[in-house]
Amino acid sequence: MSKKADQPFKFKRRKKGVCVIDLAREYNRNTSTIYSIQKDKEKLKAATVSKGVSRQSDKRSQAMDDVERLLLVWIDEKRLQGETVTQPIICEKAKRIFNELVEKMPLPSNGKVEAFKASNGWFERFKQRTGIQS
Protein backbone atom coordinates (compact mmCIF):
# COMPACT_ATOMS: atom_id res chain seq x y z
CA MET A 1 0.00 0.00 0.00
CA SER A 2 1.34 3.42 -0.83
CA LYS A 3 2.25 5.93 1.83
CA LYS A 4 -0.56 8.22 0.67
CA ALA A 5 -3.09 5.40 1.14
CA ASP A 6 -2.21 5.30 4.84
CA GLN A 7 -2.90 9.02 5.30
CA PRO A 8 -6.35 10.09 6.50
CA PHE A 9 -8.79 11.36 3.90
CA LYS A 10 -8.84 15.15 3.71
CA PHE A 11 -12.40 16.47 3.49
CA LYS A 12 -11.14 20.00 2.86
CA ARG A 13 -9.58 18.96 -0.45
CA ARG A 14 -12.93 17.65 -1.69
CA LYS A 15 -14.59 20.93 -0.70
CA LYS A 16 -11.96 22.81 -2.69
CA GLY A 17 -13.14 21.03 -5.82
CA VAL A 18 -10.67 18.15 -6.08
CA CYS A 19 -12.32 15.45 -8.18
CA VAL A 20 -13.38 12.22 -6.45
CA ILE A 21 -11.57 10.20 -9.10
CA ASP A 22 -8.33 12.05 -8.34
CA LEU A 23 -8.76 11.43 -4.61
CA ALA A 24 -9.50 7.75 -5.26
CA ARG A 25 -6.31 7.42 -7.28
CA GLU A 26 -4.22 9.34 -4.75
CA TYR A 27 -5.41 7.25 -1.78
CA ASN A 28 -5.58 4.01 -3.78
CA ARG A 29 -9.30 3.56 -3.03
CA ASN A 30 -12.46 3.05 -5.05
CA THR A 31 -14.56 6.11 -5.79
CA SER A 32 -17.43 4.50 -3.87
CA THR A 33 -15.19 4.41 -0.78
CA ILE A 34 -14.46 8.12 -1.12
CA TYR A 35 -18.19 8.87 -1.47
CA SER A 36 -18.97 6.71 1.59
CA ILE A 37 -16.31 8.47 3.64
CA GLN A 38 -17.67 11.84 2.58
CA LYS A 39 -21.25 10.80 3.40
CA ASP A 40 -20.29 9.48 6.86
CA LYS A 41 -17.64 12.08 7.69
CA GLU A 42 -19.31 13.37 10.88
CA LYS A 43 -19.80 9.86 12.21
CA LEU A 44 -16.19 8.95 11.38
CA LYS A 45 -14.81 12.08 13.02
CA ALA A 46 -16.74 11.34 16.21
CA ALA A 47 -15.69 7.69 16.39
CA THR A 48 -13.25 6.47 19.01
CA VAL A 49 -11.32 3.45 17.82
CA SER A 50 -8.99 1.36 19.95
CA LYS A 51 -5.31 2.04 19.47
CA GLY A 52 -3.99 -0.49 17.02
CA VAL A 53 -7.42 -1.20 15.57
CA SER A 54 -7.45 -0.28 11.91
CA ARG A 55 -11.13 -0.83 11.17
CA GLN A 56 -14.41 0.11 12.70
CA SER A 57 -17.66 -1.74 12.25
CA ASP A 58 -21.19 -0.84 13.23
CA LYS A 59 -21.75 -4.50 14.11
CA ARG A 60 -19.11 -4.49 16.85
CA SER A 61 -20.19 -3.46 20.31
CA GLN A 62 -18.41 -1.05 22.61
CA ALA A 63 -17.71 -4.02 24.87
CA MET A 64 -15.76 -5.77 22.10
CA ASP A 65 -13.72 -2.63 21.42
CA ASP A 66 -12.97 -2.42 25.15
CA VAL A 67 -12.00 -6.11 25.27
CA GLU A 68 -9.55 -5.68 22.43
CA ARG A 69 -8.12 -2.47 23.85
CA LEU A 70 -7.53 -4.11 27.24
CA LEU A 71 -6.23 -7.26 25.61
CA LEU A 72 -3.63 -5.28 23.66
CA VAL A 73 -2.42 -3.68 26.89
CA TRP A 74 -2.19 -7.11 28.53
CA ILE A 75 -0.29 -8.58 25.56
CA ASP A 76 2.17 -5.67 25.61
CA GLU A 77 2.74 -6.17 29.35
CA LYS A 78 3.40 -9.89 28.85
CA ARG A 79 5.83 -9.20 26.01
CA LEU A 80 7.71 -6.65 28.13
CA GLN A 81 7.97 -9.27 30.89
CA GLY A 82 9.49 -11.65 28.34
CA GLU A 83 6.60 -14.09 28.53
CA THR A 84 5.33 -15.99 25.52
CA VAL A 85 1.67 -15.55 24.72
CA THR A 86 0.05 -18.09 22.43
CA GLN A 87 -3.31 -18.05 20.68
CA PRO A 88 -5.03 -20.21 23.33
CA ILE A 89 -3.68 -17.99 26.12
CA ILE A 90 -4.80 -14.81 24.34
CA CYS A 91 -8.26 -16.25 23.59
CA GLU A 92 -8.74 -17.36 27.20
CA LYS A 93 -7.69 -13.93 28.49
CA ALA A 94 -10.06 -12.25 26.00
CA LYS A 95 -12.97 -14.36 27.31
CA ARG A 96 -12.11 -13.45 30.91
CA ILE A 97 -11.87 -9.74 30.09
CA PHE A 98 -15.19 -9.90 28.22
CA ASN A 99 -16.94 -11.66 31.11
CA GLU A 100 -15.58 -9.11 33.61
CA LEU A 101 -16.79 -6.22 31.46
CA VAL A 102 -20.24 -7.76 30.93
CA GLU A 103 -20.67 -8.25 34.70
CA LYS A 104 -20.05 -4.53 35.26
CA MET A 105 -22.36 -3.35 32.47
CA PRO A 106 -26.12 -2.87 32.86
CA LEU A 107 -28.31 -5.34 31.00
CA PRO A 108 -29.34 -4.18 27.52
CA SER A 109 -32.96 -3.21 26.94
CA ASN A 110 -33.69 -6.56 25.27
CA GLY A 111 -32.32 -8.40 28.33
CA LYS A 112 -29.93 -10.52 26.26
CA VAL A 113 -26.23 -10.53 27.01
CA GLU A 114 -23.92 -10.61 24.02
CA ALA A 115 -22.05 -13.91 23.54
CA PHE A 116 -18.31 -14.05 22.89
CA LYS A 117 -16.45 -17.26 22.06
CA ALA A 118 -12.94 -16.03 21.17
CA SER A 119 -12.94 -18.37 18.18
CA ASN A 120 -10.14 -18.94 15.69
CA GLY A 121 -11.93 -16.60 13.27
CA TRP A 122 -12.13 -13.85 15.89
CA PHE A 123 -8.44 -14.32 16.69
CA GLU A 124 -7.41 -14.06 13.01
CA ARG A 125 -9.48 -10.88 12.57
CA PHE A 126 -8.09 -9.51 15.85
CA LYS A 127 -4.56 -10.04 14.50
CA GLN A 128 -5.49 -8.25 11.27
CA ARG A 129 -7.14 -5.34 13.10
CA THR A 130 -4.27 -4.86 15.51
CA GLY A 131 -1.28 -5.79 13.37
CA ILE A 132 -0.07 -8.52 15.75
CA GLN A 133 2.41 -10.64 13.82
CA SER A 134 2.83 -13.79 15.86
Side-chain angles (χ1 to χ4, degrees):
M1 194 178 285
S2 71
K3 189 170 186 171
K4 287 186 178 184
D6 293 335
Q7 296 173 351
F9 179 74
K10 304 289 186 190
F11 299 108
K12 293 176 187 174
R13 295 190 56 215
R14 177 71 180 123
K15 284 184 180 178
K16 290 182 180 179
V18 176
C19 181
V20 170
I21 293 172
D22 293 336
L23 289 171
R25 283 187 194 127
E26 182 178 341
Y27 291 98
N28 195 25
R29 300 285 187 252
N30 290 328
T31 54
S32 62
T33 302
I34 303 298
Y35 282 118
S36 295
I37 291 170
Q38 185 178 4
K39 183 181 101 183
D40 297 331
K41 68 183 175 185
E42 295 306 318
K43 182 175 150 185
L44 292 168
K45 285 179 183 179
T48 56
V49 181
S50 304
K51 181 180 179 190
V53 176
S54 60
R55 289 186 168 177
Q56 180 181 7
S57 170
D58 289 335
K59 296 176 186 173
R60 291 175 48 82
S61 68
Q62 181 64 42
M64 286 309 304
D65 283 341
D66 291 344
V67 166
E68 291 187 3
R69 186 179 304 118
L70 293 169
L71 189 60
L72 281 172
V73 170
W74 179 81
I75 290 169
D76 287 341
E77 287 174 0
K78 292 296 179 186
R79 285 182 175 168
L80 288 172
Q81 294 170 359
E83 295 182 34
T84 302
V85 286
T86 61
Q87 177 179 345
I89 293 170
I90 291 171
C91 289
E92 186 59 36
K93 182 64 175 181
K95 285 190 247 181
R96 275 191 251 134
I97 292 171
F98 178 81
N99 289 333
E100 289 171 8
L101 287 174
V102 167
E103 286 175 12
K104 294 176 184 176
M105 297 173 89
L107 278 175
S109 58
N110 65 5
K112 294 181 181 179
V113 177
E114 178 182 1
F116 175 59
K117 297 178 184 175
S119 64
N120 289 335
W122 167 82
F123 183 73
E124 290 302 316
R125 290 185 300 277
F126 171 70
K127 286 189 338 184
Q128 289 174 347
R129 285 190 294 271
T130 60
I132 292 176
Q133 298 299 317
S134 58

mmCIF file of all heavy atoms in Angstrom, residues 16-40:
data_model
loop_
_atom_site.group_PDB
_atom_site.id
_atom_site.type_symbol
_atom_site.label_atom_id
_atom_site.label_comp_id
_atom_site.label_asym_id
_atom_site.label_seq_id
_atom_site.Cartn_x
_atom_site.Cartn_y
_atom_site.Cartn_z
ATOM 1 N N LYS A 16 -12.653 21.870 -1.802
ATOM 2 C CA LYS A 16 -11.959 22.812 -2.690
ATOM 3 C C LYS A 16 -12.115 22.435 -4.157
ATOM 4 O O LYS A 16 -11.534 23.074 -5.015
ATOM 5 C CB LYS A 16 -10.477 22.878 -2.331
ATOM 6 C CG LYS A 16 -10.214 23.560 -1.015
ATOM 7 C CD LYS A 16 -8.737 23.641 -0.741
ATOM 8 C CE LYS A 16 -8.484 24.335 0.590
ATOM 9 N NZ LYS A 16 -7.063 24.409 0.900
ATOM 10 N N GLY A 17 -12.855 21.370 -4.439
ATOM 11 C CA GLY A 17 -13.141 21.028 -5.821
ATOM 12 C C GLY A 17 -12.271 19.928 -6.395
ATOM 13 O O GLY A 17 -12.324 19.665 -7.598
ATOM 14 N N VAL A 18 -11.478 19.254 -5.570
ATOM 15 C CA VAL A 18 -10.672 18.146 -6.081
ATOM 16 C C VAL A 18 -11.632 17.025 -6.463
ATOM 17 O O VAL A 18 -12.528 16.664 -5.708
ATOM 18 C CB VAL A 18 -9.653 17.660 -5.016
ATOM 19 C CG1 VAL A 18 -8.898 16.451 -5.512
ATOM 20 C CG2 VAL A 18 -8.696 18.783 -4.667
ATOM 21 N N CYS A 19 -11.450 16.477 -7.633
ATOM 22 C CA CYS A 19 -12.322 15.452 -8.182
ATOM 23 C C CYS A 19 -12.219 14.157 -7.366
ATOM 24 O O CYS A 19 -11.154 13.770 -6.911
ATOM 25 C CB CYS A 19 -11.909 15.196 -9.629
ATOM 26 S SG CYS A 19 -12.908 13.978 -10.462
ATOM 27 N N VAL A 20 -13.345 13.482 -7.195
ATOM 28 C CA VAL A 20 -13.383 12.225 -6.445
ATOM 29 C C VAL A 20 -12.472 11.185 -7.095
ATOM 30 O O VAL A 20 -11.784 10.433 -6.404
ATOM 31 C CB VAL A 20 -14.836 11.698 -6.337
ATOM 32 C CG1 VAL A 20 -14.875 10.294 -5.778
ATOM 33 C CG2 VAL A 20 -15.675 12.627 -5.493
ATOM 34 N N ILE A 21 -12.426 11.163 -8.391
ATOM 35 C CA ILE A 21 -11.566 10.204 -9.104
ATOM 36 C C ILE A 21 -10.103 10.460 -8.761
ATOM 37 O O ILE A 21 -9.340 9.520 -8.529
ATOM 38 C CB ILE A 21 -11.812 10.283 -10.631
ATOM 39 C CG1 ILE A 21 -13.228 9.792 -10.936
ATOM 40 C CG2 ILE A 21 -10.777 9.476 -11.397
ATOM 41 C CD1 ILE A 21 -13.657 9.991 -12.367
ATOM 42 N N ASP A 22 -9.712 11.730 -8.696
ATOM 43 C CA ASP A 22 -8.327 12.051 -8.338
ATOM 44 C C ASP A 22 -8.011 11.622 -6.903
ATOM 45 O O ASP A 22 -6.929 11.101 -6.624
ATOM 46 C CB ASP A 22 -8.063 13.552 -8.507
ATOM 47 C CG ASP A 22 -8.114 13.983 -9.965
ATOM 48 O OD1 ASP A 22 -7.903 13.115 -10.858
ATOM 49 O OD2 ASP A 22 -8.361 15.177 -10.214
ATOM 50 N N LEU A 23 -8.962 11.851 -5.997
ATOM 51 C CA LEU A 23 -8.761 11.427 -4.611
ATOM 52 C C LEU A 23 -8.673 9.908 -4.521
ATOM 53 O O LEU A 23 -7.838 9.367 -3.781
ATOM 54 C CB LEU A 23 -9.892 11.942 -3.726
ATOM 55 C CG LEU A 23 -9.904 13.443 -3.461
ATOM 56 C CD1 LEU A 23 -11.193 13.840 -2.760
ATOM 57 C CD2 LEU A 23 -8.697 13.858 -2.651
ATOM 58 N N ALA A 24 -9.514 9.212 -5.270
ATOM 59 C CA ALA A 24 -9.498 7.749 -5.262
ATOM 60 C C ALA A 24 -8.145 7.224 -5.750
ATOM 61 O O ALA A 24 -7.579 6.301 -5.153
ATOM 62 C CB ALA A 24 -10.627 7.208 -6.136
ATOM 63 N N ARG A 25 -7.633 7.823 -6.787
ATOM 64 C CA ARG A 25 -6.308 7.418 -7.283
ATOM 65 C C ARG A 25 -5.212 7.724 -6.268
ATOM 66 O O ARG A 25 -4.333 6.907 -6.013
ATOM 67 C CB ARG A 25 -5.990 8.134 -8.591
ATOM 68 C CG ARG A 25 -6.705 7.573 -9.774
ATOM 69 C CD ARG A 25 -6.218 8.212 -11.072
ATOM 70 N NE ARG A 25 -7.149 7.893 -12.130
ATOM 71 C CZ ARG A 25 -7.715 8.778 -12.925
ATOM 72 N NH1 ARG A 25 -7.442 10.066 -12.799
ATOM 73 N NH2 ARG A 25 -8.555 8.399 -13.863
ATOM 74 N N GLU A 26 -5.258 8.914 -5.699
ATOM 75 C CA GLU A 26 -4.224 9.343 -4.751
ATOM 76 C C GLU A 26 -4.180 8.448 -3.516
ATOM 77 O O GLU A 26 -3.109 8.095 -3.030
ATOM 78 C CB GLU A 26 -4.479 10.785 -4.325
ATOM 79 C CG GLU A 26 -3.431 11.325 -3.379
ATOM 80 C CD GLU A 26 -3.684 12.780 -3.000
ATOM 81 O OE1 GLU A 26 -4.429 13.479 -3.719
ATOM 82 O OE2 GLU A 26 -3.132 13.195 -1.990
ATOM 83 N N TYR A 27 -5.353 8.061 -3.003
ATOM 84 C CA TYR A 27 -5.415 7.248 -1.784
ATOM 85 C C TYR A 27 -5.559 5.754 -2.084
ATOM 86 O O TYR A 27 -5.730 4.951 -1.173
ATOM 87 C CB TYR A 27 -6.554 7.723 -0.882
ATOM 88 C CG TYR A 27 -6.270 9.077 -0.288
ATOM 89 C CD1 TYR A 27 -6.799 10.236 -0.857
ATOM 90 C CD2 TYR A 27 -5.445 9.205 0.818
ATOM 91 C CE1 TYR A 27 -6.520 11.478 -0.325
ATOM 92 C CE2 TYR A 27 -5.163 10.445 1.352
ATOM 93 C CZ TYR A 27 -5.691 11.574 0.778
ATOM 94 O OH TYR A 27 -5.404 12.807 1.306
ATOM 95 N N ASN A 28 -5.494 5.400 -3.346
ATOM 96 C CA ASN A 28 -5.576 4.008 -3.778
ATOM 97 C C ASN A 28 -6.862 3.354 -3.259
ATOM 98 O O ASN A 28 -6.844 2.284 -2.653
ATOM 99 C CB ASN A 28 -4.339 3.222 -3.312
ATOM 100 C CG ASN A 28 -4.209 1.903 -4.023
ATOM 101 O OD1 ASN A 28 -4.709 1.730 -5.127
ATOM 102 N ND2 ASN A 28 -3.553 0.956 -3.375
ATOM 103 N N ARG A 29 -7.990 4.025 -3.477
ATOM 104 C CA ARG A 29 -9.301 3.556 -3.033
ATOM 105 C C ARG A 29 -10.288 3.645 -4.189
ATOM 106 O O ARG A 29 -10.071 4.373 -5.156
ATOM 107 C CB ARG A 29 -9.831 4.414 -1.869
ATOM 108 C CG ARG A 29 -8.964 4.412 -0.645
ATOM 109 C CD ARG A 29 -9.120 3.098 0.088
ATOM 110 N NE ARG A 29 -8.435 3.104 1.355
ATOM 111 C CZ ARG A 29 -7.324 2.433 1.598
ATOM 112 N NH1 ARG A 29 -6.769 1.707 0.668
ATOM 113 N NH2 ARG A 29 -6.768 2.469 2.787
ATOM 114 N N ASN A 30 -11.389 2.939 -4.063
ATOM 115 C CA ASN A 30 -12.461 3.048 -5.051
ATOM 116 C C ASN A 30 -13.198 4.366 -4.847
ATOM 117 O O ASN A 30 -13.243 4.893 -3.734
ATOM 118 C CB ASN A 30 -13.466 1.898 -4.888
ATOM 119 C CG ASN A 30 -12.881 0.579 -5.299
ATOM 120 O OD1 ASN A 30 -12.056 0.504 -6.188
ATOM 121 N ND2 ASN A 30 -13.326 -0.484 -4.637
ATOM 122 N N THR A 31 -13.800 4.864 -5.910
ATOM 123 C CA THR A 31 -14.559 6.109 -5.790
ATOM 124 C C THR A 31 -15.726 5.933 -4.825
ATOM 125 O O THR A 31 -16.075 6.860 -4.088
ATOM 126 C CB THR A 31 -15.078 6.594 -7.157
ATOM 127 O OG1 THR A 31 -15.815 5.529 -7.772
ATOM 128 C CG2 THR A 31 -13.952 7.032 -8.059
ATOM 129 N N SER A 32 -16.319 4.733 -4.795
ATOM 130 C CA SER A 32 -17.430 4.499 -3.868
ATOM 131 C C SER A 32 -16.973 4.634 -2.419
ATOM 132 O O SER A 32 -17.736 5.095 -1.564
ATOM 133 C CB SER A 32 -18.053 3.122 -4.103
ATOM 134 O OG SER A 32 -17.103 2.106 -3.864
ATOM 135 N N THR A 33 -15.730 4.260 -2.129
ATOM 136 C CA THR A 33 -15.189 4.408 -0.782
ATOM 137 C C THR A 33 -15.066 5.880 -0.422
ATOM 138 O O THR A 33 -15.420 6.290 0.686
ATOM 139 C CB THR A 33 -13.807 3.726 -0.670
ATOM 140 O OG1 THR A 33 -13.954 2.350 -1.015
ATOM 141 C CG2 THR A 33 -13.229 3.858 0.720
ATOM 142 N N ILE A 34 -14.599 6.680 -1.361
ATOM 143 C CA ILE A 34 -14.459 8.121 -1.119
ATOM 144 C C ILE A 34 -15.829 8.742 -0.869
ATOM 145 O O ILE A 34 -16.005 9.527 0.064
ATOM 146 C CB ILE A 34 -13.750 8.826 -2.305
ATOM 147 C CG1 ILE A 34 -12.379 8.206 -2.585
ATOM 148 C CG2 ILE A 34 -13.651 10.328 -2.065
ATOM 149 C CD1 ILE A 34 -11.384 8.307 -1.452
ATOM 150 N N TYR A 35 -16.828 8.361 -1.671
ATOM 151 C CA TYR A 35 -18.187 8.874 -1.475
ATOM 152 C C TYR A 35 -18.734 8.446 -0.107
ATOM 153 O O TYR A 35 -19.375 9.239 0.589
ATOM 154 C CB TYR A 35 -19.130 8.407 -2.582
ATOM 155 C CG TYR A 35 -18.985 9.171 -3.869
ATOM 156 C CD1 TYR A 35 -18.587 8.539 -5.039
ATOM 157 C CD2 TYR A 35 -19.260 10.534 -3.924
ATOM 158 C CE1 TYR A 35 -18.450 9.242 -6.223
ATOM 159 C CE2 TYR A 35 -19.135 11.247 -5.109
ATOM 160 C CZ TYR A 35 -18.725 10.592 -6.256
ATOM 161 O OH TYR A 35 -18.596 11.295 -7.417
ATOM 162 N N SER A 36 -18.490 7.196 0.283
ATOM 163 C CA SER A 36 -18.966 6.706 1.590
ATOM 164 C C SER A 36 -18.307 7.473 2.729
ATOM 165 O O SER A 36 -18.966 7.820 3.718
ATOM 166 C CB SER A 36 -18.669 5.216 1.745
ATOM 167 O OG SER A 36 -19.399 4.471 0.817
ATOM 168 N N ILE A 37 -17.022 7.716 2.604
ATOM 169 C CA ILE A 37 -16.309 8.474 3.637
ATOM 170 C C ILE A 37 -16.887 9.876 3.739
ATOM 171 O O ILE A 37 -17.136 10.383 4.834
ATOM 172 C CB ILE A 37 -14.794 8.520 3.346
ATOM 173 C CG1 ILE A 37 -14.187 7.129 3.529
ATOM 174 C CG2 ILE A 37 -14.086 9.543 4.226
ATOM 175 C CD1 ILE A 37 -12.754 7.008 3.037
ATOM 176 N N GLN A 38 -17.121 10.483 2.589
ATOM 177 C CA GLN A 38 -17.668 11.836 2.579
ATOM 178 C C GLN A 38 -19.065 11.861 3.198
ATOM 179 O O GLN A 38 -19.378 12.744 4.004
ATOM 180 C CB GLN A 38 -17.716 12.353 1.146
ATOM 181 C CG GLN A 38 -18.165 13.793 1.041
ATOM 182 C CD GLN A 38 -18.150 14.288 -0.393
ATOM 183 O OE1 GLN A 38 -17.880 13.530 -1.310
ATOM 184 N NE2 GLN A 38 -18.445 15.548 -0.564
ATOM 185 N N LYS A 39 -19.874 10.868 2.874
ATOM 186 C CA LYS A 39 -21.246 10.802 3.396
ATOM 187 C C LYS A 39 -21.251 10.617 4.915
ATOM 188 O O LYS A 39 -22.065 11.213 5.620
ATOM 189 C CB LYS A 39 -21.995 9.652 2.724
ATOM 190 C CG LYS A 39 -23.439 9.532 3.131
ATOM 191 C CD LYS A 39 -24.099 8.372 2.438
ATOM 192 C CE LYS A 39 -24.137 7.252 3.450
ATOM 193 N NZ LYS A 39 -24.648 6.005 3.030
ATOM 194 N N ASP A 40 -20.327 9.809 5.431
ATOM 195 C CA ASP A 40 -20.291 9.479 6.861
ATOM 196 C C ASP A 40 -19.225 10.252 7.621
ATOM 197 O O ASP A 40 -18.819 9.847 8.709
ATOM 198 C CB ASP A 40 -20.033 7.977 7.039
ATOM 199 C CG ASP A 40 -21.140 7.124 6.468
ATOM 200 O OD1 ASP A 40 -22.289 7.596 6.436
ATOM 201 O OD2 ASP A 40 -20.858 5.985 6.050
#
